[in-house]
Amino acid sequence: MAKKNGNTNAPTADFASLKVCTELSLPHEQGLSLAIHERASNIITAHAMPALAGAALTMANNIIPHPAIAVFFTKKWKPGRRLKVRFLDNPSNFVRQKIEYFAHLWEQFMSVRFDFNDAADAEIRITCQLGDGSWSYIGTDALGIPVNEPTMNYGWFDDTTPDEEFSRTVLHEFGHALGAIHEHQHPLAKIPWNKPVVYQYYKQTQGWSQADVDVQIFQKYELSQLNVSAYDRTSIMHYPIEKQLLLDPSFAVGWNTELSPQDETFMKKMYP
């Protein structure tokens, strides 16, 4: 939506067609169960529980520590995992080849591999439903989605999409599929949001409710849930942030279209 006269809170022309990702997650206890079944080290720390030795014992017996909400965990795959990828619909060969090409760029920095074989039991299942936005489940959460349903969507790709947009979006969504979260929700990201303006902005550009904005923009992860300690405004996982959304415009972030050095380091640490 273009900026209107007299409304300084409306989105500007540069961000008029803002295309952002929605991060999807399973309910906590279900996600925890899948994560620790895939990789026991996904459980990191616990509060209000006898130490992790007790948690490890319950995991060995396939019992989820209770209460689950007290447990922090990551959603990493096993190192060396070969993740099968399937297209549930039929995008053009051009779109399909671009998605596959840019997804494979992550493989330079990790032991996990993507096998685009359209297997019936594929862990990652892609649709290209126009108008449905761009989104992905986080890491092992994909295992909790029925095999005939998508775990990732690209809502604006077609045969006219430039490589820069394929790079920006595919690297971002496959980052989620590998267990990475949105960088603007990093606990050390001290972004000075102008919250009333942000609520209006995402309502106008994405149709989001205030609760949606709280979850997708303002909610922060626990530091213990992350594998790197430094906030990275150049990360492929960072939302673009327009100056008008900030109390201090120096915190604005543009469109990151390539992996940052810290993205590469992050994935090497996740999947050595």
Side-chain angles (χ1 to χ4, degrees), residues 156-228:
W156 50 77
F157 287 169
D158 59 30
D159 287 0
T160 68
T161 302
D163 275 5
E164 185 177 67
E165 182 65 11
F166 278 115
S167 178
R168 179 184 79 86
T169 309
V170 174
L171 288 172
H172 183 101
E173 299 307 340
F174 272 84
H176 283 320
L178 289 165
I181 55 92
H182 280 143
E183 191 68 13
H184 66 273
Q185 294 179 284
H186 193 294
L188 300 182
K190 301 185 184 301
I191 300 170
W193 297 106
N194 187 336
K195 287 192 173 183
V197 174
V198 174
Y199 286 130
Q200 182 184 4
Y201 179 83
Y202 281 100
K203 180 179 180 179
Q204 291 178 341
T205 62
Q206 307 300 312
W208 287 358
S209 67
Q210 183 168 318
D212 292 332
V213 176
D214 288 338
V215 170
Q216 296 292 333
I217 303 297
F218 299 139
Q219 178 176 280
K220 290 189 177 183
Y221 286 82
E222 293 285 339
L223 189 58
S224 59
Q225 292 174 275
L226 305 178
N227 289 76
V228 292

Side-chain angles (χ1 to χ4, degrees), residues 15-112:
F15 278 58
S17 57
L18 183 70
K19 296 172 180 176
V20 297
C21 161
T22 303
E23 186 181 285
L24 301 183
S25 296
L26 292 176
H28 189 279
E29 189 163 343
Q30 184 183 6
L32 170 63
S33 176
L34 292 168
I36 61 177
H37 185 267
E38 169 72 18
R39 184 173 176 173
S41 62
N42 273 329
I43 190 167
I44 354 184
T45 188
H47 299 285
M49 289 175 54
L52 283 180
L57 177 62
T58 58
M59 289 193 307
N61 293 321
N62 296 317
I63 301 171
I64 305 304
H66 186 76
I69 199 64
V71 182
F72 293 126
F73 64 103
T74 58
K75 302 179 181 184
K76 298 177 290 187
W77 305 94
K78 291 176 183 176
R81 191 76 139 82
R82 196 167 196 90
L83 295 173
K84 298 180 288 295
V85 186
R86 176 186 176 193
F87 286 90
L88 293 182
D89 50 14
N90 190 29
S92 70
N93 286 335
F94 176 82
V95 170
R96 182 181 179 121
Q97 289 170 8
K98 291 295 184 180
I99 291 173
E100 184 169 352
Y101 172 78
F102 285 103
H104 283 310
L105 294 183
W106 274 116
E107 296 177 347
Q108 303 169 80
F109 311 105
M110 63 177 187
S111 61
V112 171

Side-chain angles (χ1 to χ4, degrees), residues 223-243:
L223 189 58
S224 59
Q225 292 174 275
L226 305 178
N227 289 76
V228 292
S229 59
Y231 163 64
D232 178 17
R233 65 190 297 164
T234 65
S235 172
I236 195 66
M237 303 310 298
H238 207 302
Y239 265 26
I241 303 176
E242 193 177 5
K243 292 179 180 179

